Amino acid sequence: MTSLAMQRRRATAGRVLGQFRSSKQGVIGFSVLLVFVVIALAAPLLADVRELNPVYARASGNPQWASPGEFGALGTDHLRRSVWVQFVWGSRVSLFVGLAATILTISIGSVVGIVSGFVGGRPDAFLMRITEWFLVIPFLPLAIVLASILGRNVWNIILVIGVTSWPSTARLLRAQVLTVKQRLFVDRARSLGAGNGHLVARHILPNVSGLILANATLAVPISILTETTLSFLGLGDPSSPSWGKTLEEAFVNGAMVRNAWWYFLPAGLGILIVVLAFTLIGRTLEEIADPRLGRSR
Amino acid sequence: MNRPVLSVKDLAITYHSASGPVPAVRGVTFDLAAGDSLGLAGESGCGKSTLANALLRLLPDGTITSGQVMIDGRDLFALSPGGLRAVRWTTGAIVFQGALHALNPVQTAGKQVREPMLIHQTVGSEDEARVRSRQLFERVGLPANQLDAYPHQLSGGQRQRVLIAMALACDPRLLIADEPTTALDLMVQAQVLALIAELRRESSLSLIFITHDLSVLTYVADRLAIMYAGKIVESGPSLSVFENATHPYTRALAAAFPTIGDQTSRLAPSGLAGDPPTPGALPAGCPFHPRCPLAEDRCQTAEPVLRKAGQAHRAACVLV
Amino acid sequence: MLASEQPESRGRSHFILKKVLGSLLTLVFVLVFNFVLFRIVQSDPIGSLFRGRNVPAAKIAELRTAFGLDESLWVQFWAYVRQTFQLNFGISYQSRQPVWNEIVSAIPATVALVGISAVLSAVIGTIGGVIAAWRRNTWKDHAITSGTMVFYSMPDFWLGMILLVGFAVVLGWFPVGGMTDAGSTATGLALLLDRLHHIFLPALTLTLAYLGEYALVTRSSLLDVMGEDYLTVAKAKGLRDVVVRNRHAVPNALLPVVTLTAINFGFVLSGAIAVEAVFSWPGLGKATADAIRGPDLPMLQGLFLLFSAAVIFFNLLADVAYAWLDPRVERA
């Protein structure tokens, strides 16, 4: 890469960063998310993972259904486990599944969208027909069916979310690639003898990367909420409990009738705050990628 | 002539924007007598469309206006909201640039033409409105069956005629035509111009015709006013201004348009380098001096005022 | 007059015919997809049914034959298509009743709950979005926008759990679940009131969960429209602000909202799964949640097919509504 292109890219990155910093919602979203990322990464320091084991919890003499005043910061559940420990370790699983599923979603969506938009013709028609079908199939039932068939573990959940939620990304990217393709400089580059790989890498990708990033950020909330719902319905991985799994266990074991609010409030609030943070960041990135949005929204 | 239909005195309009105030119109004064027509010309961004919208107080919230606009003897800026609504369309109506988005896409042309009559109760009933809209369509040269057409089913010229019919719905005394021929084919432009000229001959309609195309104006306007950077820089009888242009800017404009509606010359007037100044950052002195072929040192310090340059002909240039 | 109307109606009916054919094709795709999903991806349904449990081989073989899983793939596919059109979705593993009967008995509860919530959320959300856009950057806009965003960002069933604990467990204003009081023999008006009492909290949950999307879409759509010239024209005509908004701005801004509404009507049928589970509402959602626990695959398969058909149908309805509302559609 020439130093000129490098400079230009660095300048673009600097501009995006500057615009992001000047957006209040972007900064708030990012700060909040940072707190949760730190909690998730520092989980081993914050909470003893052995506390998740009911046998260990019983052996340590924890009380059952203790409210926050009676035991620790967030009380205990029906199996005497600390809710705080579940919250900290649950953040790890929820964030990991959310991010991993989003990466898969965006990868499938981007490949389909870029290939469809760039190649055009029959492959485009074929891919878009498939995309439309996947858009029409109800997303949650499909995820439920797939998860039921594949079995309950984290990787299957990631796979299920990725396989079910890529179509909207594919459509968005295809439209963007078509616009970029029509711009003059692609024709110019082609006439100079550039290969397809070069065109995609040097001309298409840099022009759609902002959109991909914004779209990815906005897809994380959907991934996290889907994981939560699947876990709540009993399709979560029993060996790595997420926030959704906590909500399921609280529900199944009668936390609501007992008014054991400390059992199900923290996990739900965690989901709500993380989802809001990603939404705020995503909207900011979207406005930067497409300045037209900033005026009205 | 008695009382003028429109009297504008020292009108200044400043938009509010994120990067500070933007003075779009900076002190404009003119009168328009009943039956007269005034052509306003200038490049885009010179404030002519802002001026047109101001004549019916159609500016966005937060816009600061000063000066006075008397429309049919009423002080526009002193009107109550209800009084203002009553003046709109009955006293003065606007023909917007219709080729794009001036018609509501989900309503038929006829419904949109009937709407002002029903609002201002210039007709007694829905049926009467239908009869009148049919007459109006006939007058602007549209077949009656197009009353039931949706805007997208009409051609650009037909849409423009619908807009003219709509403007005439309540028999206004003043017609403000804001670039009504822009973006139309050459042939259609000529037809629309002929229609406007004909309507003027038939009635005592006063007309303000706004365009960037000077040659169009000699066809429909008795008097011309050339705007630059929010001010009138030259005004007078059409032929006098067109043939004996005094202001270097008017000369450049006049030289730029050899034929009606030449689209290529629109963006790059010959002999006129550079872009019009942005209203937010006007140069000191005469705002035209950076582009003026005859600029002198004194042009950079003082902004010239309008001075007599012939019979009823005035120009704002130190060389006059 | 006829001259201008005829090509228009021909354009529209052509458009609708195209959409109907597209929907049928999608339905075929769903049928095939459904078959592939349940018969090929999952090559041994009975085996995975008892995965991890100690079941005698003879018992498994017996079940395989009972469920017709010994035949070749093509025979199975043909049988599957034939049975589907006869509304025969097999026998539920759990209840041992025909899947179709189970589904049919759950439909009314879901249609009532989802219907009420879908209508309420669409109406309230749209009105909220109109107010937010028309008064943008005022406190009303900020309150509506941030409020709906919060509801939009939480799991719907978690909202249901909170409402249930607050209003049913703690305050005791509403029943904790079900559709009627246990052992109730009420009829007529008393029965209706009892049902309304039961449906209130789940309906409130779903309404709050869904109205955010309507508000946000309406708001941004109206903001797009608000820059249009025809609104300046309407104002210039001497129309009141409210009339400009309701007669010229809103009808144009609602076009995308209509599509969203119709599509959501298809999706909410399946979207209430977790909320129905929370409130023990005896509809399709709870049936799905129960089937997952099995897993009761014939039941899941039948439900999936029904949910997909509902979405396809409402998508078609959305296209037809759009063609009816937007005169420009014939060009699309």
Side-chain angles (χ1 to χ4, degrees):
Chain A
M1 193 186 290
T2 62
S3 65
L4 194 73
M6 196 100 109
Q7 258 173 8
R8 206 168 47 210
R9 219 155 275 191
R10 206 173 293 151
T12 311
R15 183 181 53 83
V16 169
L17 204 68
Q19 273 176 286
F20 191 90
R21 274 209 208 112
S22 65
S23 156
K24 207 163 69 179
Q25 61 169 3
V27 172
I28 293 175
F30 187 77
S31 315
V32 170
L33 183 63
L34 203 62
V35 171
F36 278 87
V37 169
V38 168
I39 291 179
L41 290 178
L45 304 174
L46 291 168
D48 187 350
V49 71
R50 287 176 300 177
E51 294 254 10
L52 291 178
N53 186 341
V55 179
Y56 181 87
R58 178 182 282 271
S60 1
N62 292 357
Q64 204 180 3
W65 291 118
S67 66
E70 294 161 13
F71 184 89
L74 295 172
T76 59
D77 66 4
H78 61 295
L79 296 174
R80 304 165 192 271
R81 296 171 303 183
S82 154
V83 176
W84 163 248
V85 177
Q86 293 182 52
F87 178 81
V88 169
W89 287 89
S91 75
R92 239 179 187 215
V93 180
S94 285
L95 276 174
F96 172 72
V97 173
L99 290 173
T102 302
I103 291 171
L104 186 60
T105 301
I106 298 296
S107 305
I108 301 175
S110 300
V111 169
V112 171
I114 292 175
V115 167
S116 202
F118 187 74
V119 176
R122 270 162 193 243
D124 178 31
F126 174 74
L127 285 174
M128 278 304 111
R129 184 41 86 173
I130 303 268
T131 307
E132 261 168 54
W133 279 338
F134 268 94
L135 270 177
V136 164
I137 294 179
F139 161 75
L140 188 60
L142 177 58
I144 286 172
V145 162
L146 278 176
S148 302
I149 291 172
L150 292 174
R152 293 153 204 212
N153 77 58
V154 167
W155 297 104
N156 281 345
I157 295 270
I158 292 169
L159 182 71
V160 162
I161 298 173
V163 165
T164 50
S165 51
W166 58 270
S168 51
T169 307
R171 279 236 290 223
L172 197 71
L173 271 172
R174 175 178 173 271
Q176 183 75 5
V177 168
L178 285 178
T179 320
V180 173
K181 208 169 83 170
Q182 272 170 0
R183 276 189 224 145
L184 196 69
F185 66 87
V186 176
D187 291 329
R188 212 174 51 209
R190 190 186 282 277
S191 67
L192 288 173
N196 281 345
H198 175 85
L199 280 180
V200 170
R202 287 290 158 82
H203 296 280
I204 303 281
L205 271 182
N207 277 293
V208 297
S209 55
L211 193 70
I212 292 181
L213 186 65
N215 197 248
T217 316
L218 289 172
V220 177
I222 300 171
S223 300
I224 291 181
L225 287 172
T226 308
E227 190 279 330
T228 307
T229 305
L230 291 178
S231 289
F232 180 74
L233 292 171
L235 293 165
D237 188 335
S239 62
S240 33
S242 66
W243 282 335
K245 187 82 187 154
T246 302
L247 292 179
E248 184 217 0
E249 291 189 351
F251 173 68
V252 171
N253 295 297
M256 290 154 67
V257 182
R258 285 176 165 273
N259 189 19
W261 47 269
W262 60 88
Y263 197 177
F264 60 84
L265 270 191
L269 275 177
I271 294 160
L272 170 61
I273 293 169
V274 167
V275 164
L276 271 177
F278 273 108
T279 308
L280 291 178
I281 298 171
R283 280 160 63 121
T284 311
L285 290 175
E286 205 177 42
E287 279 168 19
I288 295 173
D290 183 359
R292 232 164 26 87
L293 294 174
R295 273 186 304 135
S296 51
R297 283 167 185 86
Chain B
M1 281 276 159
N2 45 12
R3 185 175 75 184
V5 170
L6 183 70
S7 170
V8 176
K9 215 171 279 164
D10 292 327
L11 180 63
I13 299 159
T14 306
Y15 286 122
H16 172 78
S17 87
S19 49
V22 179
V25 175
R26 305 181 301 130
V28 165
T29 301
F30 65 88
D31 281 353
L32 186 67
D36 264 10
S37 68
L38 170 72
L40 268 176
E43 291 164 285
S44 37
C46 73
K48 54 192 198 302
S49 285
T50 301
L51 183 60
N53 284 334
L55 297 179
L56 287 183
R57 263 174 73 181
L58 295 171
L59 301 168
D61 290 343
T63 308
I64 304 156
T65 49
S66 68
Q68 197 185 38
V69 175
M70 300 290 285
I71 185 160
D72 204 19
R74 269 164 294 191
D75 183 349
L76 189 72
F77 296 127
L79 286 172
S80 67
L84 178 64
R85 285 199 300 271
V87 165
R88 284 176 177 164
W89 225 252
T90 56
T91 308
I94 303 189
V95 178
F96 288 90
Q97 189 175 322
L100 290 168
H101 304 293
L103 288 168
N104 186 337
V106 302
Q107 283 185 4
T108 60
K111 190 173 162 110
Q112 296 181 63
V113 170
R114 291 193 295 275
E115 184 174 37
M117 308 176 201
L118 296 166
I119 288 282
H120 296 289
Q121 299 180 328
T122 55
V123 291
S125 66
E126 182 82 37
D127 284 340
E128 224 176 285
R130 277 174 201 283
V131 172
R132 170 137 177 84
S133 59
R134 205 163 299 138
Q135 290 167 349
L136 284 168
F137 261 47
E138 205 173 303
R139 198 162 155 206
V140 299
L142 284 172
N145 66 24
Q146 291 189 331
L147 282 165
D148 294 308
Y150 286 96
H152 74 273
Q153 295 168 320
L154 303 170
S155 68
Q158 288 170 328
R159 280 197 285 254
Q160 200 59 59
R161 284 169 196 268
V162 170
L163 284 170
I164 294 172
M166 195 161 87
L168 297 174
C170 299
D171 265 328
R173 300 196 61 197
L174 169 68
L175 195 66
I176 302 160
D178 186 4
E179 307 249 12
T181 58
T182 307
L184 294 179
D185 295 342
L186 205 56
M187 273 286 286
V188 184
Q189 273 196 33
Q191 289 168 1
V192 170
L193 283 174
L195 171 65
I196 291 175
E198 189 187 312
L199 290 169
R200 277 202 57 227
R201 273 197 303 279
E202 285 172 6
S203 59
S204 61
L205 200 61
S206 306
L207 175 72
I208 291 186
F209 195 102
I210 293 168
T211 181
H212 57 268
D213 188 344
L214 202 57
S215 56
V216 162
L217 288 179
T218 55
Y219 190 65
V220 290
D222 310 327
R223 290 199 304 131
L224 283 189
I226 312 297
M227 281 188 80
Y228 191 80
K231 278 191 170 176
I232 293 178
V233 293
E234 181 156 11
S235 71
S238 294
L239 276 181
S240 172
V241 171
F242 194 59
E243 282 169 5
N244 305 312
T246 310
H247 199 287
Y249 178 62
T250 316
R251 273 187 232 157
L253 275 187
F257 301 110
T259 53
I260 288 179
D262 182 350
Q263 295 293 326
T264 52
S265 57
R266 178 174 154 194
L267 296 170
S270 64
L272 193 53
D275 297 317
T278 41
L282 294 178
C286 173
F288 185 59
H289 84 259
R291 302 169 78 192
C292 182
L294 308 173
E296 300 170 5
D297 282 350
R298 55 181 169 153
C299 298
Q300 295 176 20
T301 48
E303 188 166 3
V305 293
L306 282 168
R307 281 185 291 194
K308 197 164 162 56
Q311 185 78 42
H313 187 157
R314 301 194 310 155
C317 179
V318 289
L319 297 176
V320 176
Chain C
M1 208 178 281
L2 280 173
S4 73
E5 268 174 13
Q6 228 148 25
E8 179 199 336
S9 55
R10 207 186 310 137
R12 278 191 196 180
S13 53
H14 181 75
F15 171 83
I16 289 170
L17 186 71
K18 227 172 71 183
K19 290 290 172 188
V20 170
L21 289 177
S23 299
L24 287 177
L25 200 62
T26 311
L27 204 60
V28 171
F29 167 76
V30 168
L31 275 175
V32 175
F33 186 75
N34 201 0
F35 178 77
V36 170
L37 215 56
F38 282 86
R39 302 291 162 95
I40 296 180
V41 172
Q42 189 221 4
S43 50
D44 185 11
I46 301 296
S48 56
L49 179 60
F50 296 117
R51 190 174 20 206
R53 284 181 240 172
N54 193 8
V55 178
K59 170 81 174 160
I60 291 181
E62 182 197 318
L63 276 168
R64 297 179 79 84
T65 315
F67 288 111
L69 294 171
D70 286 339
E71 311 282 351
S72 86
L73 217 56
W74 285 111
V75 173
Q76 284 188 39
F77 181 67
W78 175 238
Y80 157 76
V81 171
R82 216 179 39 217
Q83 287 166 0
T84 302
F85 279 98
Q86 292 164 349
L87 298 177
N88 176 359
F89 297 103
I91 307 291
S92 158
Y93 289 167
Q94 282 177 323
S95 68
R96 296 274 170 171
Q97 295 294 310
V99 166
W100 180 245
N101 293 2
E102 296 279 299
I103 289 178
V104 165
S105 67
I107 285 179
T110 289
V111 169
L113 173 62
V114 162
I116 291 174
S117 328
V119 170
L120 283 179
S121 57
V123 170
I124 301 172
T126 305
I127 293 174
V130 168
I131 294 172
W134 207 252
R135 298 272 168 258
R136 75 172 173 290
N137 291 331
T138 63
W139 68 269
K140 275 186 192 166
D141 179 20
H142 295 313
I144 291 170
T145 313
S146 39
T148 49
M149 226 168 84
V150 168
F151 283 123
Y152 193 52
S153 300
M154 60 176 76
D156 49 7
F157 64 87
W158 183 66
L159 175 62
M161 287 165 82
I162 292 173
L163 292 177
L164 193 145
V165 170
F167 292 103
V169 176
V170 177
L171 294 172
W173 294 351
F174 295 97
V176 289
M179 196 158 71
T180 44
D181 280 340
S184 162
T185 53
T187 50
L189 188 66
L191 179 67
L192 183 69
L193 285 176
D194 188 31
R195 294 226 165 129
L196 283 177
H197 198 203
H198 280 80
I199 208 173
F200 186 87
L201 283 182
L204 177 67
T205 306
L206 288 175
T207 305
L208 288 175
Y210 291 129
L211 60 77
E213 196 176 3
Y214 290 102
L216 294 178
V217 169
T218 306
R219 179 176 179 275
S220 76
S221 170
L222 190 55
L223 284 179
D224 282 345
V225 168
M226 273 163 71
E228 296 284 354
D229 290 346
Y230 53 79
L231 294 189
T232 313
V233 175
K235 204 172 144 193
K237 281 175 171 177
L239 269 57
R240 283 171 187 280
D241 201 40
V242 190
V243 181
V244 174
R245 186 185 78 188
N246 293 347
R247 199 185 286 172
H248 292 279
V250 172
N252 279 287
L254 281 191
L255 293 172
V257 183
V258 168
T259 314
L260 177 73
T261 310
I263 290 173
N264 271 3
F265 270 52
F267 276 110
V268 280
L269 202 60
S270 57
I273 294 171
V275 173
E276 281 191 10
V278 167
F279 289 96
S280 315
W281 186 260
L284 296 168
K286 186 164 182 302
T288 310
D290 293 343
I292 291 170
R293 306 268 163 193
D296 187 343
L297 290 174
M299 195 69 191
L300 277 180
Q301 190 177 10
L303 286 162
F304 177 60
L305 208 57
L306 180 77
F307 291 148
S308 304
V311 174
I312 294 169
F313 174 74
F314 279 101
N315 267 316
L316 180 63
L317 213 62
D319 288 330
V320 174
Y322 207 99
W324 181 59
L325 287 172
D326 190 343
R328 288 164 296 184
V329 111
E330 67 199 83
R331 283 204 172 166

